[in-house]
Amino acid sequence: MGALPVYRWRLAPDGYATRRQLRALGLRLGGQDVAAEVQRPRRRRGPLVAYLYRIDLALPVRPMTPGRQAALEAAMAARQTCPNCRTDVGYCIPRSLGMCVPCSDLDTESAA
């Protein structure tokens, strides 16, 4: 495998896209490898790098099935349920706290 083509920021040719750009077009990688990269220079650090994939090799996004939808809803419910008070707090619980913010505040007050 040869070296990847490297393009400067905003100068990549048509026919390439990042993962996010592919998703916005309703496409997925489909198992292809990185085709090129774009580098954005920075003053005091190394350049920012974005990997590009070929649009013509990308496949359509798979449709959401009822089973996948149910699994996604269950996963989100688990992320939003506090393990201490067992309530759905309506937001994703921070992993750094491990519990909802009110329970975390009560825990820090009792420790002090």
Side-chain angles (χ1 to χ4, degrees):
M1 179 177 162
L4 291 176
V6 177
Y7 301 104
R8 290 188 52 87
W9 193 251
R10 298 184 186 264
L11 296 177
D14 292 337
Y16 290 104
T18 63
R19 294 176 84 130
R20 287 187 180 191
Q21 291 169 338
L22 286 176
R23 181 58 75 160
L25 295 171
L27 300 171
R28 61 184 169 95
L29 294 181
Q32 65 175 302
D33 291 329
V34 176
E37 64 181 45
V38 175
Q39 292 186 353
R40 179 179 178 199
R42 297 190 290 182
R43 290 180 189 251
R44 292 188 171 94
R45 292 185 268 170
L48 288 175
V49 176
Y51 297 114
L52 300 175
Y53 303 90
R54 291 181 42 185
I55 295 175
D56 59 340
L57 297 179
L59 301 174
V61 175
R62 294 183 184 118
M64 183 66 73
T65 63
R68 288 176 66 195
Q69 182 68 34
L72 181 61
E73 289 171 2
M76 289 305 294
R79 290 183 67 192
Q80 295 177 359
T81 303
C82 177
N84 285 357
C85 60
R86 300 278 187 226
T87 58
D88 184 356
V89 293
Y91 56 87
C92 290
I93 295 173
R95 292 178 61 189
S96 60
L97 299 178
M99 60 187 85
C100 65
V101 175
C103 288
S104 174
D105 289 343
L106 290 175
D107 192 41
T108 56
E109 289 175 4
S110 64

